[in-house]
């Protein structure tokens, strides 16, 4: 029996009990969405699971939580179902298996990527290049040739975008999403950009135990905006290089360096904070068996930011070659694992918010 065979019936049973009880209807958007339904098809349950932001408020409030015989544990049930939706809609389908023991897969991909970039650098530019001093325009390309950087980056990132787009399409169809309206997308982006739901009614979420806190929201925002700023920095640098012929490395006050520095610091603080909360949180209302997936993405993002900042600080020293190879290894691992790790949470969560906005508009 697969995990889906047990998680879906449990989610359906829980929703039927909650729909009769309705005590938690003001807690989050899941309960109003639940109340719009009389029956819960598989796609509806996947949508509700991705609409849940794991605040754990309903767990602490529920009179039917264990040891009650109903044994309702919505945060855990939805957390497990979310991972099932990631696996179910993975593209190509066979790679959905990577969501099981995901921490191991991400670690292996990271080790292989680091090794591959180091090896390529040594084979293509010579053994002493990683420890030599390279300065001035084009110094990065003395360590990793330009065409290797462009090919590795564009192929792996292009594949990740394609795989996530195919997964999103499959998820949207399965959840019965229908036509996408601009107003619903705008509403969903507004909620995601401010992590509005993680703020609760102003008091925050039950991050660690039954006390309310804003930590998860703040660290989540730092991680998300840090990532987006780093992505913007890379995009601007690519345009400056390809369109304007301004070759890296750039000065401290250039746009890509400023964006990358602010983004990198935000990413490091956000991921460290989320990691610390995850270590301390009560695992009972959570999907303990998938914690490895969460830790893997947080660690990979943190190390990518850390090595990027280290490269910036020591780019004019003999450490530059090794740091560049290590940083590119982490970037490559990140791109390779984007469609098959916790990162897809962002895609499905956004789609769930779009669908929810559409349903609220139609009411
Ligand atoms: S989580 Fe518990 S208290 Fe809340 S609606 Fe469901 S059954 Fe009722
Ligand atoms: S854990 Fe929070 S977001 Fe999820 S269903 Fe319960 S109250 Fe809603």
């Amino acid at each position: 029996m697969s995990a889906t065979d047990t998680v879906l019936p449990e989610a359906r049973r829980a929703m039927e009990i909650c729909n009769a009880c309705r005590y938690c209807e003001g807690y989050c958007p899941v309960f109003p969405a639940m109340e719009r339904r009389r029956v819960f098809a598989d796609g509806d349950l996947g949508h509700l699971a991705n609409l849940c932001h794991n605040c754990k408020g309903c767990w602490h409030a529920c009179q039917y939580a264990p040891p009650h015989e109903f044994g309702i544990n919505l945060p855990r049930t939805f957390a497990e179902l979310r991972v099932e939706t990631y696996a179910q809609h993975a593209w190509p389908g066979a790679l959905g298996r990577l969501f099981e023991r995901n921490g191991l897969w991400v670690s292996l991909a990271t080790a292989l990527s680091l090794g591959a970039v180091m090896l390529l650098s040594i084979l293509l530019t010579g053994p002493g290049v990683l420890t030599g001093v390279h300065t001035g325009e084009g110094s990065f390309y003395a360590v990793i040739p330009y065409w290797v950087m462009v090919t590795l980056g564009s192929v792996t990132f292009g594949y990740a975008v394609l795989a996530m787009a195919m997964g999103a399409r499959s998820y949207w169809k399965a959840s019965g999403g229908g036509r996408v309206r601009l107003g619903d997308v705008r509403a969903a982006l507004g909620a995601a950009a401010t992590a509005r739901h993680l703020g609760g009614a102003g008091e925050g979420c039950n991050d660690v135990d039954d006390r309310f806190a804003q930590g998860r929201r703040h660290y989540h925002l730092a991680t998300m905006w840090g990532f987006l700023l780093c992505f913007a920095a890379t995009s601007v640098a690519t345009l400056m290089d390809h369109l304007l012929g301004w070759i890296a490395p750039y000065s401290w006050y250039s746009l890509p360096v400023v964006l990358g520095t602010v983004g990198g610091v935000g990413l490091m603080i956000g991921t460290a904070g989320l990691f610390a909360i995850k270590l301390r949180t009560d695992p009972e209302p959570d999907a303990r068996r998938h914690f490895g997936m969460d830790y893997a993405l947080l660690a990979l993002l943190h190390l990518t930011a850390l090595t990027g900042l280290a490269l910036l600080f020591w780019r004019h020293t003999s450490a530059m070659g090794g740091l560049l190879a290590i940083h590119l290894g982490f970037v490559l691992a990140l791109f390779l694992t984007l469609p098959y790790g916790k990162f897809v949470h962002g895609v499905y969560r956004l789609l769930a918010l779009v669908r929810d906005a559409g349903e609220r508009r139609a009411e």
Side-chain angles (χ1 to χ4, degrees), residues 14 17-19 21-25 31 34 58-59 61-65 72 74:
I17 292 173
C18 289
N19 217 3
C21 166
R22 300 193 173 187
Y23 178 78
C24 301
E25 63 185 357
F31 292 95
M34 170 195 78
C58 59
W59 159 258
C62 185
Q63 60 267 40
Y64 300 124
I72 298 294
L74 268 194

Side-chain angles (χ1 to χ4, degrees), residues 141-275:
Y141 303 137
V143 180
I144 313 276
Y146 173 81
W147 66 269
V148 175
M149 267 198 220
V150 172
T151 308
L152 278 181
S154 50
V155 169
T156 52
F157 186 67
Y159 174 79
V161 171
L162 173 68
M164 288 191 291
M166 295 300 283
R169 184 168 166 265
S170 167
Y171 170 83
W172 187 253
K173 273 171 72 178
S175 71
R179 200 174 133 219
V180 179
R181 287 177 190 265
L182 196 58
D184 300 340
V185 175
R186 210 179 300 130
L189 285 174
T194 55
R196 186 188 305 144
H197 299 302
L198 286 175
E203 76 282 12
C205 295
N206 298 115
D207 291 351
V208 175
D209 48 33
D210 60 352
R211 288 169 297 176
F212 289 95
Q214 294 277 359
R216 195 161 148 255
R217 182 189 193 193
H218 294 150
Y219 291 129
H220 196 282
L221 284 170
T223 301
M224 180 180 67
W225 282 107
F227 177 84
L228 291 174
L229 287 175
C230 288
F231 183 73
T234 309
S235 305
V236 170
T238 305
L239 291 177
M240 283 167 62
D241 190 303
H242 292 292
L243 293 186
L244 304 175
W246 298 347
I247 312 294
Y250 303 114
S251 79
W252 283 99
Y253 306 107
S254 63
L255 188 57
V257 171
V258 171
L259 289 173
T261 306
V262 176
V265 170
L267 200 47
M268 284 186 64
I269 293 172
T271 50
L274 289 175
F275 207 102

Side-chain angles (χ1 to χ4, degrees), residues 3 33 55 79 249 313 322:
C55 73
F313 280 102

